[in-house]
């Protein structure tokens, strides 16, 4: 594995059901994602994008193939090691943000630190620092309902990076945003969140943001159909 390879997927397959009812969601997918790049995975609904994401992030076990993350085969880890991998190595930004409505923005961001049994006050202080990084300084005590869609997305990004993960995964990050806000969020991620020690993988069907990708994987019917570079 080369030094700058963040993720190496080899022969990844996943199917659901048995016998004649078996449906193949991902079929023999292979790709490499590098530190210091934004990799897009694009394709129509049902093409296997989210299933692929789940396998490379340690959520869904593949039926065939391997996933190396920073050189380690994640599906050979014990359950405890896999939980630690998901907590410390991967940051996940969900399509619907998954913010807790009764928690303030700083409390939402602090959740990964609390799960690591960090001191509450120290966790909230760290969360406020990351809110400032994503441009929400002074908004730490506001409930999510008081924020715009773009601001909620930034809170979700702050929560995903508060543990300094090497892999950041965003699932349809612009699906709930208007075009200008969506482009602003992805431009912000590329400028402020991406670094040489981090790999960012974005699943999207929003062609309006393709210009921000370093490389683009195209999927259809569970297979990779093309791989190309971004336009910037």
């Amino acid at each position: 594995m080369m030094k700058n390879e963040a993720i190496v997927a080899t022969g990844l397959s996943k199917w659901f059901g048995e016998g004649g009812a078996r449906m193949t969601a991902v079929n023999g997918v292979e790709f490499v994602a590098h530190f210091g790049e934004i990799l897009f995975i694009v394709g129509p609904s049902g093409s296997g994008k989210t299933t692929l994401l789940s396998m490379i992030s340690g959520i869904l076990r593949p039926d065939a193939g391997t996933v190396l993350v920073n050189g380690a085969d994640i599906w050979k880890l014990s359950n405890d090691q896999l939980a630690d991998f998901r907590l410390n190595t991967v940051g996940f930004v969900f399509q619907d943000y998954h913010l807790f409505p009764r928690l303030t923005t700083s409390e939402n961001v602090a959740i990964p630190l609390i799960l690591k049994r960090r001191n509450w006050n120290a966790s909230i202080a760290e969360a406020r620092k990351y809110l400032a990084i994503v441009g929400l300084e002074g908004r730490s005590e506001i409930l999510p309902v008081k924020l715009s869609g773009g601001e909620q997305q930034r809170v979700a990004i702050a929560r995903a990076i508060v543990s300094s993960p090497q892999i950041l995964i965003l699932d349809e990050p612009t699906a709930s945003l208007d075009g200008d806000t969506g482009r602003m969020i992805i431009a912000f991620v590329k400028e402020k969140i991406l670094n040489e020690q981090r790999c960012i993988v974005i699943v999207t069907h929003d062609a309006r943001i393709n210009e921000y990708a370093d490389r683009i994987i195209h999927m259809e019917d569970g297979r990779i159909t093309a791989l190309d570079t971004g336009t910037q």
Side-chain angles (χ1 to χ4, degrees):
M1 185 166 181
M2 295 175 60
K3 186 175 180 180
N4 71 335
E5 290 178 346
I7 303 168
V8 178
T10 304
L12 274 188
S13 295
K14 183 66 183 179
W15 51 81
F16 299 97
E18 299 294 337
R22 191 170 86 171
M23 185 273 292
T24 301
V26 173
N27 192 353
V29 163
E30 301 191 355
F31 72 92
V32 177
H34 300 90
F35 288 112
E37 78 166 345
I38 293 184
L39 177 70
F40 278 23
I41 302 175
V42 306
S45 297
S47 60
K49 305 186 303 296
T50 298
T51 300
L52 178 60
L53 269 195
S54 297
M55 290 191 289
I56 66 175
S57 58
I59 296 172
L60 184 65
R61 184 177 294 275
D63 291 309
T66 59
V67 180
L68 303 183
V69 177
N70 205 14
D73 186 340
I74 65 171
W75 291 111
K76 288 185 177 180
L77 300 176
S78 68
N79 288 337
D80 286 346
Q81 290 172 325
L82 197 55
D84 183 72
F85 164 80
R86 289 192 295 260
L87 184 59
N88 294 290
T89 304
V90 178
F92 213 109
V93 180
F94 298 94
Q95 178 176 341
D96 296 322
Y97 317 139
H98 288 195
L99 302 179
F100 291 90
R102 295 188 179 182
L103 299 182
T104 65
T105 56
S106 59
E107 290 168 344
N108 268 283
V109 173
I111 287 172
L113 303 179
I114 301 302
L115 290 174
K116 293 182 179 183
R117 303 189 180 187
R118 303 274 182 88
N119 173 272
W120 174 266
N121 290 333
S123 296
I124 294 298
E126 188 73 3
R128 287 172 178 160
K129 291 180 184 177
Y130 277 82
L131 284 168
I133 289 173
V134 299
L136 293 177
E137 187 173 10
R139 309 280 275 169
S140 61
E141 303 309 313
I142 294 177
L143 295 177
V145 71
K146 300 292 186 180
L147 301 174
S148 69
E151 288 173 328
Q152 290 184 46
Q153 185 69 283
R154 289 190 180 214
V155 173
I157 292 170
R159 182 177 60 190
I161 65 172
V162 72
S163 295
S164 299
Q166 293 177 297
I167 311 297
L168 181 62
I169 295 175
L170 293 86
D171 187 9
E172 298 286 3
T174 63
S176 302
L177 304 174
D178 64 77
D180 288 343
T181 303
R183 284 188 291 270
M184 178 188 70
I185 288 291
I186 302 305
F188 173 85
V189 166
K190 185 158 190 174
E191 180 181 353
K192 300 294 186 181
I193 308 302
L194 182 65
N195 59 48
E196 291 303 315
Q197 288 76 48
R198 178 171 288 147
C199 172
I200 299 177
V201 180
I202 297 178
V203 161
T204 184
H205 63 271
D206 186 354
R208 297 172 300 181
I209 61 172
N210 283 356
E211 64 184 289
Y212 297 103
D214 293 306
R215 292 186 300 137
I216 302 172
I217 287 174
H218 297 266
M219 287 191 70
E220 190 168 347
D221 297 328
R223 297 178 181 272
I224 291 177
T225 58
L227 173 64
D228 53 44
T229 59
T231 58
Q232 276 196 342

Short mmCIF file of all heavy atoms in Angstrom, two decimals, residues 78-120:
data_model
loop_
_atom_site.label_atom_id
_atom_site.label_comp_id
_atom_site.label_asym_id
_atom_site.label_seq_id
_atom_site.Cartn_x
_atom_site.Cartn_y
_atom_site.Cartn_z
N SER A 78 -11.69 -6.91 15.32
CA SER A 78 -12.69 -7.40 16.27
C SER A 78 -13.82 -6.39 16.36
O SER A 78 -13.71 -5.25 15.89
CB SER A 78 -12.05 -7.61 17.65
OG SER A 78 -11.70 -6.35 18.22
N ASN A 79 -14.93 -6.78 16.99
CA ASN A 79 -16.05 -5.86 17.14
C ASN A 79 -15.65 -4.60 17.89
O ASN A 79 -16.06 -3.49 17.53
CB ASN A 79 -17.22 -6.55 17.84
CG ASN A 79 -17.91 -7.57 16.95
OD1 ASN A 79 -17.83 -7.50 15.73
ND2 ASN A 79 -18.58 -8.53 17.56
N ASP A 80 -14.85 -4.77 18.93
CA ASP A 80 -14.40 -3.60 19.70
C ASP A 80 -13.48 -2.72 18.87
O ASP A 80 -13.58 -1.49 18.90
CB ASP A 80 -13.67 -4.05 20.98
CG ASP A 80 -14.62 -4.58 22.04
OD1 ASP A 80 -15.85 -4.36 21.91
OD2 ASP A 80 -14.14 -5.23 22.99
N GLN A 81 -12.59 -3.34 18.11
CA GLN A 81 -11.69 -2.57 17.24
C GLN A 81 -12.46 -1.86 16.15
O GLN A 81 -12.13 -0.72 15.78
CB GLN A 81 -10.63 -3.50 16.63
CG GLN A 81 -9.61 -4.02 17.62
CD GLN A 81 -8.71 -5.08 16.99
OE1 GLN A 81 -9.15 -5.88 16.16
NE2 GLN A 81 -7.45 -5.08 17.39
N LEU A 82 -13.49 -2.50 15.62
CA LEU A 82 -14.30 -1.90 14.57
C LEU A 82 -15.08 -0.70 15.12
O LEU A 82 -15.19 0.34 14.45
CB LEU A 82 -15.25 -2.93 13.99
CG LEU A 82 -15.91 -2.63 12.64
CD1 LEU A 82 -14.86 -2.33 11.58
CD2 LEU A 82 -16.79 -3.79 12.22
N ALA A 83 -15.60 -0.82 16.33
CA ALA A 83 -16.29 0.31 16.95
C ALA A 83 -15.32 1.47 17.18
O ALA A 83 -15.67 2.64 16.96
CB ALA A 83 -16.91 -0.12 18.28
N ASP A 84 -14.10 1.15 17.58
CA ASP A 84 -13.09 2.19 17.77
C ASP A 84 -12.73 2.85 16.43
O ASP A 84 -12.56 4.07 16.35
CB ASP A 84 -11.84 1.56 18.41
CG ASP A 84 -10.76 2.60 18.70
OD1 ASP A 84 -10.95 3.39 19.63
OD2 ASP A 84 -9.74 2.61 17.98
N PHE A 85 -12.66 2.05 15.38
CA PHE A 85 -12.39 2.57 14.03
C PHE A 85 -13.46 3.57 13.62
O PHE A 85 -13.17 4.66 13.13
CB PHE A 85 -12.31 1.41 13.05
CG PHE A 85 -12.41 1.81 11.60
CD1 PHE A 85 -11.31 2.33 10.93
CD2 PHE A 85 -13.61 1.68 10.90
CE1 PHE A 85 -11.39 2.70 9.60
CE2 PHE A 85 -13.69 2.04 9.57
CZ PHE A 85 -12.59 2.56 8.92
N ARG A 86 -14.73 3.20 13.83
CA ARG A 86 -15.83 4.09 13.43
C ARG A 86 -15.83 5.37 14.25
O ARG A 86 -16.21 6.43 13.74
CB ARG A 86 -17.17 3.36 13.58
CG ARG A 86 -17.39 2.26 12.55
CD ARG A 86 -18.83 1.78 12.56
NE ARG A 86 -19.16 1.13 13.83
CZ ARG A 86 -19.20 -0.18 14.01
NH1 ARG A 86 -18.90 -1.00 13.01
NH2 ARG A 86 -19.54 -0.68 15.17
N LEU A 87 -15.41 5.28 15.50
CA LEU A 87 -15.44 6.46 16.37
C LEU A 87 -14.27 7.39 16.11
O LEU A 87 -14.41 8.62 16.19
CB LEU A 87 -15.44 6.00 17.84
CG LEU A 87 -15.57 7.09 18.91
CD1 LEU A 87 -16.85 7.88 18.74
CD2 LEU A 87 -15.48 6.48 20.30
N ASN A 88 -13.10 6.82 15.78
CA ASN A 88 -11.88 7.63 15.73
C ASN A 88 -11.34 7.89 14.33
O ASN A 88 -10.69 8.92 14.11
CB ASN A 88 -10.78 6.95 16.56
CG ASN A 88 -11.11 6.91 18.03
OD1 ASN A 88 -11.12 7.94 18.70
ND2 ASN A 88 -11.40 5.72 18.56
N THR A 89 -11.56 7.00 13.39
CA THR A 89 -10.94 7.12 12.08
C THR A 89 -11.87 7.72 11.04
O THR A 89 -11.42 8.40 10.12
CB THR A 89 -10.44 5.74 11.60
OG1 THR A 89 -9.55 5.20 12.58
CG2 THR A 89 -9.72 5.84 10.27
N VAL A 90 -13.17 7.49 11.20
CA VAL A 90 -14.15 7.92 10.20
C VAL A 90 -15.08 8.98 10.79
O VAL A 90 -15.60 8.83 11.89
CB VAL A 90 -15.00 6.73 9.71
CG1 VAL A 90 -16.04 7.20 8.70
CG2 VAL A 90 -14.11 5.67 9.08
N GLY A 91 -15.27 10.06 10.03
CA GLY A 91 -16.29 11.04 10.35
C GLY A 91 -17.38 10.95 9.30
O GLY A 91 -17.09 10.88 8.10
N PHE A 92 -18.64 10.90 9.72
CA PHE A 92 -19.75 10.68 8.80
C PHE A 92 -20.72 11.85 8.87
O PHE A 92 -21.19 12.19 9.95
CB PHE A 92 -20.47 9.38 9.16
CG PHE A 92 -21.03 8.64 7.98
CD1 PHE A 92 -20.47 7.45 7.56
CD2 PHE A 92 -22.12 9.13 7.28
CE1 PHE A 92 -20.99 6.75 6.47
CE2 PHE A 92 -22.65 8.46 6.20
CZ PHE A 92 -22.08 7.26 5.78
N VAL A 93 -21.02 12.45 7.74
CA VAL A 93 -22.03 13.50 7.65
C VAL A 93 -23.21 12.93 6.88
O VAL A 93 -23.11 12.64 5.69
CB VAL A 93 -21.48 14.76 6.94
CG1 VAL A 93 -22.56 15.84 6.88
CG2 VAL A 93 -20.25 15.29 7.67
N PHE A 94 -24.33 12.77 7.58
CA PHE A 94 -25.51 12.14 6.98
C PHE A 94 -26.30 13.13 6.15
O PHE A 94 -26.27 14.34 6.37
CB PHE A 94 -26.40 11.56 8.08
CG PHE A 94 -25.74 10.49 8.90
CD1 PHE A 94 -25.11 10.81 10.10
CD2 PHE A 94 -25.74 9.17 8.48
CE1 PHE A 94 -24.49 9.83 10.86
CE2 PHE A 94 -25.12 8.19 9.24
CZ PHE A 94 -24.50 8.52 10.43
N GLN A 95 -27.07 12.59 5.22
CA GLN A 95 -27.87 13.42 4.31
C GLN A 95 -28.84 14.31 5.08
O GLN A 95 -29.04 15.47 4.74
CB GLN A 95 -28.64 12.51 3.35
CG GLN A 95 -29.55 13.26 2.39
CD GLN A 95 -30.22 12.32 1.40
OE1 GLN A 95 -29.76 11.20 1.18
NE2 GLN A 95 -31.29 12.76 0.80
N ASP A 96 -29.43 13.78 6.15
CA ASP A 96 -30.42 14.54 6.91
C ASP A 96 -29.85 15.12 8.20
O ASP A 96 -30.60 15.41 9.15
CB ASP A 96 -31.63 13.65 7.22
CG ASP A 96 -32.37 13.23 5.95
OD1 ASP A 96 -32.47 14.06 5.03
OD2 ASP A 96 -32.82 12.07 5.87
N TYR A 97 -28.51 15.22 8.26
CA TYR A 97 -27.78 15.87 9.35
C TYR A 97 -27.79 15.04 10.65
O TYR A 97 -26.78 14.95 11.33
CB TYR A 97 -28.28 17.29 9.65
CG TYR A 97 -28.55 18.14 8.45
CD1 TYR A 97 -29.66 18.96 8.39
CD2 TYR A 97 -27.71 18.11 7.34
CE1 TYR A 97 -29.93 19.75 7.27
CE2 TYR A 97 -27.95 18.89 6.23
CZ TYR A 97 -29.07 19.71 6.19
OH TYR A 97 -29.32 20.47 5.09
N HIS A 98 -28.96 14.49 11.04
CA HIS A 98 -29.07 13.70 12.26
C HIS A 98 -28.65 14.48 13.50
O HIS A 98 -27.98 13.94 14.39
CB HIS A 98 -28.26 12.40 12.16
CG HIS A 98 -28.88 11.40 11.23
ND1 HIS A 98 -28.51 10.07 11.21
CD2 HIS A 98 -29.85 11.51 10.27
CE1 HIS A 98 -29.21 9.42 10.29
NE2 HIS A 98 -30.02 10.28 9.72
N LEU A 99 -29.03 15.74 13.57
CA LEU A 99 -28.78 16.54 14.76
C LEU A 99 -29.88 16.25 15.78
O LEU A 99 -31.04 16.03 15.43
CB LEU A 99 -28.75 18.03 14.42
CG LEU A 99 -27.73 18.47 13.38
CD1 LEU A 99 -27.85 19.97 13.14
CD2 LEU A 99 -26.31 18.10 13.81
N PHE A 100 -29.51 16.28 17.05
CA PHE A 100 -30.48 16.06 18.12
C PHE A 100 -31.20 17.37 18.41
O PHE A 100 -30.57 18.35 18.80
CB PHE A 100 -29.78 15.53 19.37
CG PHE A 100 -29.26 14.13 19.21
CD1 PHE A 100 -27.98 13.91 18.73
CD2 PHE A 100 -30.06 13.04 19.52
CE1 PHE A 100 -27.49 12.62 18.58
CE2 PHE A 100 -29.58 11.74 19.36
CZ PHE A 100 -28.30 11.53 18.89
N PRO A 101 -32.52 17.41 18.21
CA PRO A 101 -33.23 18.69 18.26
C PRO A 101 -33.23 19.37 19.63
O PRO A 101 -33.38 20.59 19.70
CB PRO A 101 -34.66 18.32 17.84
CG PRO A 101 -34.78 16.85 18.11
CD PRO A 101 -33.41 16.29 17.88
N ARG A 102 -33.07 18.60 20.70
CA ARG A 102 -33.12 19.19 22.04
C ARG A 102 -31.73 19.53 22.59
O ARG A 102 -31.61 20.01 23.73
CB ARG A 102 -33.84 18.25 23.01
CG ARG A 102 -35.31 18.05 22.65
CD ARG A 102 -36.05 17.28 23.71
NE ARG A 102 -37.46 17.12 23.37
CZ ARG A 102 -38.36 16.51 24.14
NH1 ARG A 102 -37.97 16.00 25.30
NH2 ARG A 102 -39.62 16.41 23.76
N LEU A 103 -30.72 19.29 21.77
CA LEU A 103 -29.35 19.65 22.16
C LEU A 103 -28.92 20.90 21.42
O LEU A 103 -29.31 21.12 20.27
CB LEU A 103 -28.38 18.51 21.85
CG LEU A 103 -28.61 17.18 22.55
CD1 LEU A 103 -27.51 16.19 22.15
CD2 LEU A 103 -28.68 17.33 24.06
N THR A 104 -28.14 21.74 22.08
CA THR A 104 -27.60 22.92 21.42
C THR A 104 -26.59 22.50 20.36
O THR A 104 -26.17 21.33 20.28
CB THR A 104 -26.91 23.85 22.43
OG1 THR A 104 -25.75 23.16 22.97
CG2 THR A 104 -27.85 24.24 23.56
N THR A 105 -26.17 23.44 19.54
CA THR A 105 -25.18 23.11 18.50
C THR A 105 -23.88 22.59 19.12
O THR A 105 -23.31 21.61 18.63
CB THR A 105 -24.89 24.34 17.63
OG1 THR A 105 -24.46 25.41 18.45
CG2 THR A 105 -26.12 24.75 16.86
N SER A 106 -23.42 23.22 20.19
CA SER A 106 -22.18 22.76 20.81
C SER A 106 -22.34 21.37 21.41
O SER A 106 -21.42 20.54 21.34
CB SER A 106 -21.70 23.75 21.87
OG SER A 106 -22.67 23.93 22.88
N GLU A 107 -23.50 21.08 21.98
CA GLU A 107 -23.74 19.75 22.54
C GLU A 107 -23.80 18.70 21.44
O GLU A 107 -23.28 17.59 21.60
CB GLU A 107 -25.03 19.77 23.36
CG GLU A 107 -24.91 20.56 24.65
CD GLU A 107 -26.25 20.82 25.32
OE1 GLU A 107 -27.30 20.67 24.65
OE2 GLU A 107 -26.26 21.19 26.51
N ASN A 108 -24.41 19.04 20.30
CA ASN A 108 -24.42 18.12 19.17
C ASN A 108 -23.01 17.81 18.69
O ASN A 108 -22.67 16.66 18.43
CB ASN A 108 -25.24 18.71 18.02
CG ASN A 108 -26.70 18.30 18.05
OD1 ASN A 108 -27.04 17.18 17.68
ND2 ASN A 108 -27.56 19.21 18.49
N VAL A 109 -22.19 18.84 18.57
CA VAL A 109 -20.83 18.66 18.08
C VAL A 109 -19.99 17.85 19.07
O VAL A 109 -19.11 17.08 18.69
CB VAL A 109 -20.17 20.02 17.79
CG1 VAL A 109 -18.69 19.86 17.44
CG2 VAL A 109 -20.90 20.72 16.65
N ALA A 110 -20.26 18.00 20.35
CA ALA A 110 -19.46 17.35 21.40
C ALA A 110 -19.74 15.86 21.53
O ALA A 110 -18.99 15.15 22.22
CB ALA A 110 -19.70 18.04 22.73
N ILE A 111 -20.79 15.34 20.88
CA ILE A 111 -21.20 13.96 21.09
C ILE A 111 -20.06 12.95 20.88
O ILE A 111 -19.86 12.06 21.72
CB ILE A 111 -22.41 13.61 20.19
CG1 ILE A 111 -23.66 14.29 20.74
CG2 ILE A 111 -22.62 12.10 20.10
CD1 ILE A 111 -24.87 14.19 19.83
N PRO A 112 -19.26 13.03 19.80
CA PRO A 112 -18.17 12.05 19.65
C PRO A 112 -17.17 12.09 20.81
O PRO A 112 -16.62 11.05 21.19
CB PRO A 112 -17.51 12.46 18.33
CG PRO A 112 -18.59 13.15 17.57
CD PRO A 112 -19.36 13.91 18.62
N LEU A 113 -16.94 13.27 21.36
CA LEU A 113 -16.01 13.39 22.48
C LEU A 113 -16.61 12.80 23.75
O LEU A 113 -15.91 12.14 24.53
CB LEU A 113 -15.63 14.85 22.70
CG LEU A 113 -15.02 15.57 21.49
CD1 LEU A 113 -14.72 17.02 21.84
CD2 LEU A 113 -13.76 14.86 21.03
N ILE A 114 -17.90 13.01 23.96
CA ILE A 114 -18.58 12.44 25.12
C ILE A 114 -18.57 10.92 25.03
O ILE A 114 -18.39 10.22 26.04
CB ILE A 114 -20.04 12.96 25.21
CG1 ILE A 114 -20.07 14.49 25.33
CG2 ILE A 114 -20.76 12.31 26.38
CD1 ILE A 114 -19.31 15.04 26.51
N LEU A 115 -18.75 10.38 23.82
CA LEU A 115 -18.69 8.93 23.64
C LEU A 115 -17.32 8.37 23.98
O LEU A 115 -17.20 7.19 24.33
CB LEU A 115 -19.06 8.57 22.19
CG LEU A 115 -20.53 8.78 21.81
CD1 LEU A 115 -20.74 8.52 20.32
CD2 LEU A 115 -21.44 7.87 22.63
N LYS A 116 -16.30 9.20 23.87
CA LYS A 116 -14.95 8.79 24.27
C LYS A 116 -14.70 9.02 25.76
O LYS A 116 -13.59 8.85 26.23
CB LYS A 116 -13.91 9.58 23.46
CG LYS A 116 -13.90 9.25 21.99
CD LYS A 116 -12.80 10.06 21.29
CE LYS A 116 -12.73 9.73 19.83
NZ LYS A 116 -11.64 10.45 19.15
N ARG A 117 -15.76 9.44 26.46
CA ARG A 117 -15.72 9.66 27.91
C ARG A 117 -14.80 10.81 28.28
O ARG A 117 -14.16 10.81 29.33
CB ARG A 117 -15.33 8.37 28.65
CG ARG A 117 -16.27 7.22 28.34
CD ARG A 117 -16.04 6.02 29.21
NE ARG A 117 -16.98 4.96 28.86
CZ ARG A 117 -17.12 3.83 29.55
NH1 ARG A 117 -16.37 3.61 30.61
NH2 ARG A 117 -18.00 2.91 29.16
N ARG A 118 -14.77 11.81 27.40
CA ARG A 118 -14.05 13.03 27.72
C ARG A 118 -14.85 13.86 28.73
O ARG A 118 -16.06 13.73 28.83
CB ARG A 118 -13.81 13.86 26.47
CG ARG A 118 -13.06 13.14 25.37
CD ARG A 118 -11.57 13.24 25.55
NE ARG A 118 -10.86 12.58 24.46
CZ ARG A 118 -10.52 13.19 23.33
NH1 ARG A 118 -10.87 14.45 23.14
NH2 ARG A 118 -9.86 12.53 22.40
N ASN A 119 -14.17 14.71 29.46
CA ASN A 119 -14.82 15.61 30.40
C ASN A 119 -15.84 16.49 29.66
O ASN A 119 -15.58 16.99 28.57
CB ASN A 119 -13.75 16.49 31.06
CG ASN A 119 -14.34 17.58 31.92
OD1 ASN A 119 -14.62 18.68 31.43
ND2 ASN A 119 -14.53 17.30 33.19
N TRP A 120 -17.02 16.66 30.27
CA TRP A 120 -18.12 17.38 29.62
C TRP A 120 -17.71 18.81 29.26
O TRP A 120 -17.87 19.25 28.12
CB TRP A 120 -19.35 17.39 30.50
CG TRP A 120 -20.48 18.24 29.97
CD1 TRP A 120 -20.74 19.55 30.29
CD2 TRP A 120 -21.46 17.87 29.01
NE1 TRP A 120 -21.82 20.01 29.59
CE2 TRP A 120 -22.29 19.01 28.79
CE3 TRP A 120 -21.73 16.70 28.31
CZ2 TRP A 120 -23.37 18.98 27.91
CZ3 TRP A 120 -22.81 16.69 27.42
CH2 TRP A 120 -23.61 17.82 27.24
#
